[in-house]
Coordinates of all heavy atoms in Angstrom, one line a residue:
M8 N 0.8 -1.3 0.0 CA 0.1 0.0 0.0 C 0.8 1.3 0.1 O 1.8 1.3 0.9 CB -0.8 0.1 1.3 CG -2.0 1.0 1.3 SD -3.0 0.9 2.6 CE -4.0 -0.5 2.5
P9 N 0.6 2.2 -0.9 CA 1.5 3.4 -0.9 C 1.3 4.1 0.2 O 0.2 4.1 0.8 CB 1.1 4.1 -2.2 CG -0.2 3.5 -2.7 CD -0.3 2.1 -2.0
S10 N 2.1 4.9 0.6 CA 2.0 6.0 1.8 C 2.3 7.4 1.3 O 3.0 7.6 0.3 CB 2.9 5.6 2.8 OG 4.3 5.6 2.5
Y11 N 1.6 8.3 2.0 CA 1.6 9.7 1.5 C 2.1 10.6 2.7 O 1.7 10.3 3.8 CB 0.3 10.2 1.0 CG -0.3 9.3 -0.1 CD1 -1.0 8.2 0.1 CD2 0.2 9.6 -1.5 CE1 -1.6 7.3 -0.8 CE2 -0.4 8.7 -2.4 CZ -1.2 7.6 -2.1 OH -1.7 6.8 -3.0
N12 N 3.1 11.4 2.4 CA 3.4 12.4 3.5 C 2.4 13.6 3.6 O 2.0 14.2 2.7 CB 4.8 13.0 3.1 CG 5.9 11.9 3.0 OD1 6.0 11.1 3.9 ND2 6.6 12.0 1.9
Y13 N 2.1 13.8 4.7 CA 1.1 14.9 5.1 C 1.7 15.7 6.2 O 2.5 15.4 7.0 CB -0.3 14.4 5.5 CG -1.2 14.1 4.4 CD1 -1.2 12.9 3.7 CD2 -2.2 15.0 3.9 CE1 -2.0 12.4 2.7 CE2 -2.9 14.7 2.9 CZ -2.9 13.5 2.3 OH -3.7 13.1 1.2
K14 N 1.2 17.0 6.2 CA 1.7 18.0 7.3 C 0.4 18.6 7.8 O -0.6 19.0 7.1 CB 2.5 19.0 6.6 CG 3.1 20.0 7.7 CD 4.0 21.0 7.0 CE 4.7 21.9 8.1 NZ 5.7 21.2 8.8
C15 N 0.3 18.7 9.2 CA -0.8 19.2 9.8 C -0.7 20.7 9.9 O 0.4 21.1 10.4 CB -1.0 18.6 11.2 SG -2.4 19.3 12.2
L16 N -1.7 21.3 9.5 CA -1.6 22.9 9.5 C -1.9 23.5 10.9 O -1.6 24.7 11.1 CB -2.4 23.5 8.4 CG -2.2 23.0 7.0 CD1 -3.2 23.7 6.1 CD2 -0.8 23.5 6.6
D17 N -2.4 22.5 11.7 CA -2.8 23.0 13.1 C -1.7 22.8 14.1 O -1.2 23.8 14.8 CB -4.0 22.3 13.7 CG -5.3 22.8 13.0 OD1 -5.3 24.0 12.3 OD2 -6.3 22.2 13.1
C18 N -1.0 21.6 14.0 CA 0.1 21.3 15.1 C 1.4 21.2 14.3 O 2.4 20.9 15.0 CB -0.3 20.1 15.9 SG -0.2 18.6 14.9
Q19 N 1.5 21.3 13.1 CA 2.6 21.4 12.2 C 3.4 20.0 12.2 O 4.5 19.8 11.9 CB 3.7 22.4 12.7 CG 3.2 23.7 12.9 CD 2.7 24.3 11.5 OE1 3.3 24.1 10.6 NE2 1.5 24.9 11.5
A20 N 2.7 18.9 12.6 CA 3.2 17.6 12.7 C 3.4 17.0 11.3 O 2.5 17.3 10.4 CB 2.4 16.7 13.5
D21 N 4.5 16.4 11.0 CA 4.5 15.5 9.8 C 4.2 14.2 10.0 O 4.7 13.6 10.9 CB 6.0 15.7 9.3 CG 6.4 17.1 8.9 OD1 5.7 17.7 8.1 OD2 7.4 17.6 9.4
F22 N 3.4 13.5 9.2 CA 3.0 12.2 9.4 C 2.8 11.6 8.0 O 2.6 12.3 7.0 CB 1.8 12.1 10.3 CG 0.6 12.9 9.8 CD1 -0.5 12.3 9.2 CD2 0.5 14.3 10.0 CE1 -1.4 13.1 8.8 CE2 -0.5 15.0 9.7 CZ -1.5 14.4 9.1
T23 N 2.6 10.3 8.1 CA 2.5 9.6 6.8 C 1.0 8.8 7.0 O 0.7 8.3 7.9 CB 3.5 8.5 6.7 OG1 4.7 9.2 6.8 CG2 3.4 7.8 5.4
I24 N 0.3 8.9 5.8 CA -0.9 8.2 5.8 C -0.8 7.1 4.8 O -0.4 7.3 3.5 CB -2.0 9.1 5.4 CG1 -2.4 10.0 6.5 CG2 -3.3 8.4 5.1 CD1 -3.5 11.1 6.2
E25 N -1.2 5.8 5.1 CA -1.1 4.7 4.2 C -2.5 4.5 3.7 O -3.5 4.4 4.4 CB -0.7 3.4 4.8 CG 0.8 3.4 5.1 CD 1.3 2.1 5.4 OE1 0.4 1.1 5.5 OE2 2.5 1.8 5.6
A26 N -2.7 4.6 2.3 CA -3.9 4.4 1.7 C -3.7 4.0 0.3 O -2.7 4.2 -0.4 CB -4.7 5.7 1.7
T27 N -4.7 3.1 -0.2 CA -4.5 2.7 -1.7 C -5.0 4.0 -2.5 O -5.4 5.0 -2.0 CB -5.6 1.7 -1.9 OG1 -7.0 2.2 -1.8 CG2 -5.5 0.5 -1.0
V28 N -4.5 3.9 -3.8 CA -4.7 5.0 -4.7 C -6.3 5.4 -4.6 O -6.7 6.5 -4.6 CB -4.3 4.6 -6.1 CG1 -4.8 5.7 -7.2 CG2 -2.8 4.4 -6.0
E29 N -7.1 4.3 -4.6 CA -8.4 4.4 -4.8 C -9.1 5.1 -3.4 O -9.7 6.1 -3.5 CB -9.2 3.1 -4.7 CG -10.6 3.2 -5.1 CD -10.8 3.4 -6.6 OE1 -9.8 3.6 -7.3 OE2 -12.0 3.3 -7.0
E30 N -8.4 4.8 -2.3 CA -8.9 5.4 -1.0 C -8.4 6.9 -1.0 O -9.2 7.8 -0.5 CB -8.2 4.7 0.1 CG -8.9 3.5 0.8 CD -8.1 2.8 1.7 OE1 -6.9 3.0 1.9 OE2 -8.8 1.9 2.5
K31 N -7.3 7.1 -1.5 CA -6.8 8.5 -1.5 C -7.6 9.3 -2.4 O -7.9 10.6 -2.1 CB -5.4 8.6 -2.0 CG -4.8 10.0 -1.9 CD -3.3 10.0 -2.1 CE -2.6 11.4 -2.2 NZ -3.3 12.3 -3.3
K32 N -8.2 8.7 -3.5 CA -9.0 9.6 -4.5 C -10.3 9.9 -3.8 O -10.8 11.0 -3.9 CB -9.2 8.7 -5.6 CG -9.1 9.5 -7.0 CD -9.5 8.6 -8.2 CE -8.3 7.9 -8.7 NZ -8.7 7.0 -9.9
N33 N -10.9 8.8 -3.1 CA -12.3 9.0 -2.6 C -12.3 9.6 -1.2 O -13.4 10.1 -0.8 CB -13.0 7.6 -2.8 CG -13.0 7.2 -4.1 OD1 -13.3 8.0 -5.1 ND2 -12.9 5.8 -4.4
K34 N -11.3 9.3 -0.4 CA -11.4 9.5 1.0 C -10.4 10.5 1.5 O -10.2 10.7 2.8 CB -11.4 8.3 1.9 CG -12.4 7.2 1.6 CD -12.2 6.1 2.4 CE -13.2 5.0 2.1 NZ -12.8 3.7 2.9
A35 N -9.7 11.3 0.7 CA -8.7 12.2 1.1 C -9.2 13.1 2.1 O -8.6 13.5 3.0 CB -8.1 12.9 -0.2
S36 N -10.3 13.6 1.9 CA -11.0 14.6 2.8 C -11.3 14.0 4.2 O -11.6 14.8 5.1 CB -12.3 15.1 2.3 OG -13.1 14.2 2.0
D37 N -11.2 12.6 4.3 CA -11.6 12.0 5.6 C -10.2 11.8 6.3 O -10.2 11.5 7.5 CB -12.1 10.7 5.4 CG -13.6 10.8 5.0 OD1 -14.1 11.8 5.1 OD2 -14.0 9.8 4.5
F38 N -9.1 12.1 5.7 CA -7.7 11.8 6.5 C -7.7 12.9 7.5 O -8.0 14.2 7.4 CB -6.6 12.0 5.4 CG -6.5 10.9 4.3 CD1 -5.8 11.1 3.3 CD2 -7.2 9.8 4.4 CE1 -5.7 10.0 2.3 CE2 -7.3 8.9 3.5 CZ -6.4 8.9 2.4
T39 N -7.1 12.4 8.5 CA -6.9 13.4 9.7 C -5.4 13.3 10.3 O -4.8 12.3 10.0 CB -7.8 13.0 10.8 OG1 -7.7 11.7 11.2 CG2 -9.3 13.2 10.5
C40 N -5.1 14.3 11.0 CA -3.8 14.4 11.6 C -3.6 13.2 12.6 O -4.5 13.1 13.5 CB -3.6 15.7 12.3 SG -2.1 15.7 13.3
S41 N -2.6 12.5 12.5 CA -2.4 11.3 13.4 C -2.0 11.8 14.8 O -2.0 11.1 15.8 CB -1.4 10.4 12.9 OG -0.1 11.0 12.7
V42 N -1.7 13.1 14.9 CA -1.3 13.7 16.3 C -2.5 14.2 17.0 O -2.7 14.0 18.1 CB -0.2 14.6 16.1 CG1 0.2 15.2 17.5 CG2 1.1 13.9 15.5
C43 N -3.1 15.3 16.3 CA -4.2 16.0 17.1 C -5.5 15.8 16.4 O -6.5 16.2 16.9 CB -3.9 17.5 16.9 SG -4.1 18.3 15.3
G44 N -5.5 14.9 15.3 CA -6.9 14.5 14.8 C -7.5 15.6 13.9 O -8.7 15.5 13.5
S45 N -6.8 16.7 13.6 CA -7.3 17.8 12.7 C -7.6 17.2 11.3 O -6.8 16.6 10.9 CB -6.5 19.0 12.9 OG -6.7 19.9 11.9
T46 N -8.5 17.9 10.6 CA -8.7 17.5 9.2 C -8.0 18.8 8.4 O -8.0 18.7 7.2 CB -10.2 17.6 8.9 OG1 -10.8 18.6 9.3 CG2 -10.9 16.4 9.5
N47 N -7.4 19.6 9.2 CA -6.8 20.8 8.4 C -5.4 20.4 8.1 O -4.4 20.8 8.6 CB -6.7 21.9 9.6 CG -6.4 23.3 8.7 OD1 -6.4 23.3 7.5 ND2 -6.0 24.2 9.5
I48 N -5.2 19.5 7.1 CA -4.0 18.9 6.7 C -3.8 19.1 5.3 O -4.6 19.2 4.4 CB -3.9 17.4 7.1 CG1 -4.9 16.6 6.3 CG2 -3.9 17.2 8.6 CD1 -4.7 15.1 6.6
E49 N -2.5 19.1 4.7 CA -2.3 19.2 3.4 C -1.1 18.2 3.0 O -0.2 17.9 3.9 CB -1.8 20.6 2.9 CG -0.4 21.1 3.5 CD -0.1 22.4 3.0 OE1 -1.1 23.1 2.4 OE2 1.0 22.8 3.1
Q50 N -1.2 17.6 1.8 CA -0.2 16.6 1.4 C 1.2 17.4 1.3 O 1.3 18.5 0.7 CB -0.6 15.9 0.2 CG 0.3 14.7 -0.2 CD -0.3 13.9 -1.3 OE1 -1.3 14.3 -1.8 NE2 0.5 12.7 -1.6
D51 N 2.1 16.8 1.8 CA 3.5 17.3 1.7 C 4.3 16.7 0.5 O 4.7 15.5 0.7 CB 4.2 17.2 3.0 CG 5.6 17.9 3.0 OD1 5.9 18.4 2.0 OD2 6.3 17.8 4.0
F52 N 4.4 17.3 -0.7 CA 5.1 16.7 -1.8 C 6.5 16.9 -1.7 O 7.3 16.2 -2.5 CB 4.6 17.2 -3.1 CG 3.3 17.1 -3.4 CD1 2.2 17.9 -3.1 CD2 2.8 15.8 -3.8 CE1 0.8 17.6 -3.3 CE2 1.4 15.5 -4.1 CZ 0.5 16.5 -3.8
K53 N 7.1 17.6 -0.9 CA 8.6 18.0 -1.0 C 9.4 16.7 -1.0 O 10.3 16.7 -1.9 CB 8.9 18.8 0.3 CG 8.5 20.2 0.0 CD 8.9 21.1 1.3 CE 7.6 21.8 1.8 NZ 7.6 22.2 3.2
L54 N 9.3 15.8 -0.1 CA 10.1 14.7 -0.1 C 10.0 14.0 -1.3 O 11.1 13.5 -1.9 CB 9.7 13.8 1.2 CG 10.9 12.9 1.6 CD1 12.1 13.6 2.0 CD2 10.3 12.0 2.8
D55 N 8.8 13.7 -1.7 CA 8.6 12.7 -3.0 C 9.2 13.6 -4.3 O 9.8 12.9 -5.0 CB 7.2 12.6 -3.2 CG 6.6 11.5 -2.3 OD1 7.4 10.8 -1.7 OD2 5.4 11.6 -2.1
D56 N 9.0 14.9 -4.3 CA 9.6 15.6 -5.4 C 11.0 15.5 -5.4 O 11.7 15.4 -6.5 CB 9.1 17.0 -5.3 CG 7.6 17.2 -5.6 OD1 7.0 16.1 -6.2 OD2 7.1 18.2 -5.4
L57 N 11.6 15.6 -4.2 CA 13.1 15.6 -4.2 C 13.6 14.3 -4.7 O 14.6 14.2 -5.4 CB 13.6 15.9 -2.8 CG 13.7 17.4 -2.3 CD1 14.2 17.3 -0.9 CD2 14.7 18.1 -3.1
I58 N 13.0 13.2 -4.3 CA 13.5 11.9 -4.7 C 13.3 11.8 -6.2 O 14.1 11.3 -7.0 CB 12.6 10.8 -3.9 CG1 12.9 10.8 -2.5 CG2 12.8 9.3 -4.6 CD1 12.1 10.0 -1.6
K59 N 12.1 12.1 -6.7 CA 11.8 12.1 -8.1 C 12.9 12.9 -8.9 O 13.4 12.4 -9.9 CB 10.4 12.7 -8.5 CG 9.4 11.5 -8.8 CD 8.1 12.1 -9.1 CE 7.1 11.6 -8.1 NZ 5.8 12.3 -8.1
E60 N 13.0 14.1 -8.6 CA 13.9 15.0 -9.2 C 15.4 14.4 -9.2 O 16.1 14.3 -10.3 CB 14.1 16.4 -8.5 CG 13.2 17.4 -9.1 CD 13.2 18.7 -8.2 OE1 14.2 19.0 -7.7 OE2 12.1 19.3 -8.2
S61 N 15.9 13.7 -8.2 CA 17.2 13.3 -8.1 C 17.2 11.9 -9.1 O 18.2 11.8 -9.7 CB 17.6 12.9 -6.8 OG 16.8 11.9 -6.2
K62 N 16.2 11.3 -9.2 CA 16.0 10.1 -10.0 C 16.1 10.7 -11.5 O 17.0 10.0 -12.2 CB 14.9 9.3 -9.8 CG 15.0 8.2 -8.6 CD 13.7 7.5 -8.7 CE 13.7 6.5 -7.3 NZ 12.5 6.1 -6.8
E63 N 15.4 11.6 -11.7 CA 15.3 12.0 -13.1 C 16.7 12.6 -13.7 O 17.1 12.4 -14.6 CB 14.2 13.2 -13.3 CG 12.8 12.6 -13.5 CD 11.7 13.5 -13.2 OE1 12.0 14.8 -13.4 OE2 10.5 13.1 -13.1
Y64 N 17.3 13.3 -12.7 CA 18.6 13.9 -13.0 C 19.5 12.8 -13.2 O 20.4 12.8 -14.1 CB 19.0 14.7 -11.7 CG 20.3 15.4 -11.9 CD1 20.4 16.5 -12.7 CD2 21.5 14.9 -11.3 CE1 21.7 17.1 -13.0 CE2 22.7 15.4 -11.7 CZ 22.7 16.6 -12.3 OH 24.0 17.3 -12.6
G65 N 19.4 11.7 -12.3 CA 20.5 10.5 -12.5 C 20.3 9.8 -13.9 O 21.3 9.6 -14.4
D66 N 19.0 9.8 -14.5 CA 18.6 9.2 -15.6 C 19.3 9.9 -16.8 O 19.8 9.5 -17.7 CB 17.3 9.0 -15.9 CG 16.6 7.9 -15.0 OD1 17.5 7.0 -14.6 OD2 15.5 7.8 -14.9
S67 N 19.3 11.4 -16.6 CA 19.7 12.2 -17.7 C 21.3 12.4 -17.6 O 21.9 13.0 -18.6 CB 19.0 13.5 -17.7 OG 19.3 14.3 -16.5
C68 N 21.8 12.0 -16.5 CA 23.2 12.2 -16.3 C 24.0 11.1 -17.0 O 24.4 10.2 -16.4 CB 23.4 12.2 -14.8 SG 25.0 12.8 -14.4
K69 N 24.2 11.2 -18.2 CA 24.9 10.1 -19.0 C 26.2 10.8 -19.5 O 26.2 12.0 -19.8 CB 24.0 9.6 -20.2 CG 23.0 8.7 -19.6 CD 22.0 8.4 -20.8 CE 20.8 7.7 -20.1 NZ 19.6 7.8 -21.0
P70 N 27.3 10.1 -19.9 CA 28.4 10.5 -20.5 C 28.1 11.3 -21.7 O 27.3 10.8 -22.6 CB 29.2 9.4 -20.7 CG 28.7 8.3 -19.8 CD 27.3 8.6 -19.6
G71 N 28.6 12.5 -21.9 CA 28.3 13.3 -23.1 C 26.9 14.0 -22.9 O 26.6 14.8 -23.9
G72 N 26.3 13.9 -21.9 CA 24.9 14.5 -21.8 C 25.0 16.0 -21.4 O 24.1 16.7 -21.2
G73 N 26.3 16.5 -21.2 CA 26.5 17.8 -20.7 C 26.3 18.2 -19.2 O 26.3 19.3 -18.9
C74 N 26.2 17.1 -18.4 CA 26.3 17.4 -17.1 C 27.6 17.1 -16.4 O 28.5 16.7 -17.0 CB 25.2 16.5 -16.4 SG 25.5 14.8 -16.0
C75 N 27.6 17.3 -15.1 CA 29.0 17.4 -14.4 C 29.7 16.0 -14.7 O 30.9 16.2 -14.8 CB 28.6 17.5 -12.8 SG 27.6 16.1 -12.3
C76 N 29.1 14.8 -14.7 CA 29.9 13.6 -14.7 C 30.0 13.0 -16.1 O 30.7 12.1 -16.3 CB 29.4 12.6 -13.7 SG 27.7 12.4 -13.9
Ligands
LIG17 ZN1 -2.2 18.0 14.0

């Protein structure tokens, strides 16, 4: 089951929610902060984006490709 990084806007806690893609699509508004129970949360893409970016960079980083290595 994939997990998603969320940040609570009330208590600033970072936490992870495990849900299927289907659950996330249909029940994202039911997700609550695991610390204070607030529904005032937003998905935190930062970590995933960083991983994705570094992967994409790695793929394009080939000899003769104009990058550092
Ligand atoms: Zn909270």
